[in-house]
Amino acid sequence: MLATPEEVLRHLTGHAEIAWRAEVMVAAAIAFLLAATIVVRLGIVVIRLGLNTRSRRQRQRDMLDLLETASPADLQLHVLSGDVPLAYCVPGRTPRVVLSAGTLKLLSPDQTAAVVAHERAHLRARHDLVLEAFTALHVAFPRFVRSRAALDAVNQLLEMLADDDAARRVGAARLHQALDKLSYTANPAEVTARRRRLDDPSDTETERISARLLSVLTYGASVAILATPTITVVTPWLTSALTAAGF
C-alpha cells in the first residue's frame, strides 16, 4: 500500500527513480493513511473479536454451572442431555470439555476417552488463540477480497495437532474408531484427512519431532502472516523514502 504511489509514478513516467517532489509526498501521505486505516481496522477487529469471544465463553461456562452438568469424577467435564452427538471445549482460565449424552451412547468408554483427550489437547495448547488471530485477519479484509482457504487450513492443522496429542496419550486406534462413528457430524473431507493421518499407528521419535515442528510452524504462521508484509514491502519503501529525503 505504501509503495503504490511511487510505483505508479515510476510506471507512468518511465523513470527508475522518482524525485522527492511535493506530489510524491502527497501521494505517499495518502498511501500511509490508507495503510494506517487497514492497521487500525485490524486492531479494532482483534479487540472486538476478543471481547465477544470471551464474553460468549463466559456465558457458556455460566450456563454449564447453572445446569450442574459437571461429571462427579471430573469437574471440567460436562455432559449435556440430548441425543445429538456433540463434543467441544470451552477455552479460558477455567476450561471445560463438553459432551452430549448422544456421544456417550454412540461411543465406547475407550473411544469417549479418546475424544476427551483430543479436546483437552486443544485446551492445553491454546489452539483457540491461533484460530482467533487468523479469524481476526480474515474478518479485517473486505468481503470482496477475503478467502476462507487460509482459515480452513489452519483449523484443519489444529485438529490434526490435537489428534496427534490424543493418539500419543490413548492410542491412534481408539481415536480413529471415534472419528469413524462421529464422521457424519463434521466436514467429510476434513475427517477423511484426519483418519488417513491416523492410519499408521506407529509413534517414532521422528514423528514426535514432526508433530512438534508442525505445532511451531502453525503458531509461527499466525505471527508471520502479519509481519511479512511489513518486512517485504514497508521496510524497503521507507528506506528508499528516507534516503530520497536526505536522512
Side-chain angles (χ1 to χ4, degrees):
M1 180 66 74
L2 290 174
T4 300
E6 183 179 355
E7 295 299 327
V8 170
L9 287 174
R10 181 179 291 116
H11 176 73
L12 293 176
T13 60
H15 297 302
E17 296 295 332
I18 301 299
W20 195 250
R21 301 192 301 268
E23 56 268 29
V24 178
M25 295 182 64
V26 172
I30 295 174
F32 179 82
L33 290 176
L34 292 174
T37 300
I38 294 176
V39 174
V40 170
R41 175 180 168 82
L42 179 60
I44 293 174
V45 169
V46 168
I47 294 173
R48 183 181 299 170
L49 180 64
L51 292 176
N52 291 341
T53 299
R54 281 149 186 79
S55 176
R56 185 174 65 254
R57 289 173 183 165
Q58 186 58 51
R59 288 197 301 270
Q60 289 180 348
R61 285 190 288 267
D62 291 341
M63 291 177 62
L64 291 172
D65 292 340
L66 183 63
L67 294 172
E68 297 182 348
T69 55
S71 169
D74 186 350
L75 295 180
Q76 289 188 351
L77 178 61
H78 291 253
V79 179
L80 300 177
S81 61
D83 295 330
V84 178
L86 292 174
Y88 65 93
C89 61
V90 184
R93 287 177 294 179
T94 55
R96 315 290 172 85
V97 175
V98 182
L99 304 177
S100 67
T103 300
L104 299 181
K105 293 178 182 178
L106 183 64
L107 304 179
S108 69
D110 287 344
Q111 294 162 2
T112 300
V115 171
V116 172
H118 172 94
E119 297 302 332
R120 283 183 170 152
H122 282 311
L123 295 175
R124 278 191 301 271
R126 292 310 305 266
H127 290 163
D128 58 293
L129 297 180
V130 177
L131 191 59
E132 188 174 315
F134 276 89
T135 301
L137 188 65
H138 173 76
V139 174
F141 274 90
R143 292 181 182 273
F144 60 90
V145 297
R146 73 175 60 162
S147 170
R148 285 195 58 89
L151 188 59
D152 292 340
V154 168
N155 185 69
Q156 183 167 336
L157 283 174
L158 294 178
E159 292 299 326
M160 289 181 175
L161 287 173
D163 285 344
D164 290 344
D165 187 282
R168 288 193 296 270
R169 294 175 185 274
V170 301
R174 295 178 182 179
L175 185 58
H176 196 298
Q177 293 165 2
L179 280 175
D180 286 341
K181 292 184 177 180
L182 295 172
S183 59
Y184 69 93
T185 65
N187 184 292
E190 178 182 312
V191 173
T192 300
R194 291 170 60 188
R195 285 189 296 189
R196 187 182 301 116
R197 183 179 175 83
L198 293 169
D199 280 339
D200 183 5
S202 60
D203 186 19
T204 64
E205 182 63 26
T206 301
E207 289 172 338
R208 288 193 290 270
I209 294 174
S210 297
R212 296 190 191 102
L213 180 60
L214 179 60
S215 179
V216 171
L217 290 176
T218 302
Y219 284 106
S222 64
V223 177
I225 199 169
L226 298 178
T228 299
T230 301
I231 296 173
T232 60
V233 176
V234 177
T235 300
W237 181 87
L238 286 177
T239 301
S240 177
L242 291 174
T243 301
F247 290 99

